[in-house]
């Protein structure tokens, strides 16, 4: 009896997770947007590491003398 319930639960979980993975995402081919509004959006590397997207300081001496916000 316990084995049948375990098989049923695993089957339901598998079906629900398959439906969730199949339903997520955008349909159609992938593309890079070229409209002017897209130019202001962050790229994937900027999203993952926001500190790397900031402009680097001109020299270490200049950055040491400027106060941080």
């Amino acid at each position: 009896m316990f084995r049948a319930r375990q098989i049923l639960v695993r089957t339901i979980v598998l079906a629900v997770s398959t439906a969730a993975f199949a339903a997520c995402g955008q349909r159609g081919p992938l593309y890079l947007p070229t409209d002017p509004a897209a130019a202001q959006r962050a790229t994937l590397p900027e999203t993952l590491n926001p500190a790397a997207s900031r402009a680097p300081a001109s020299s270490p001496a200049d950055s040491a003398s400027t106060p941080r916000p």
Side-chain angles (χ1 to χ4, degrees), residues 14-47:
L14 180 63
V16 169
S17 62
T18 302
F21 284 128
C24 68
Q26 180 178 352
R27 300 181 98 185
L30 297 177
Y31 66 95
L32 293 173
T34 57
D35 57 343
Q40 300 299 322
R41 294 185 193 138
T43 61
L44 180 62
E46 291 171 348
T47 304

Side-chain angles (χ1 to χ4, degrees), residues 1-13:
M1 184 66 170
F2 180 70
R3 183 81 171 145
R5 184 174 177 173
Q6 187 178 14
I7 292 172
L8 179 64
V9 169
R10 286 183 180 178
T11 303
I12 291 172
V13 168

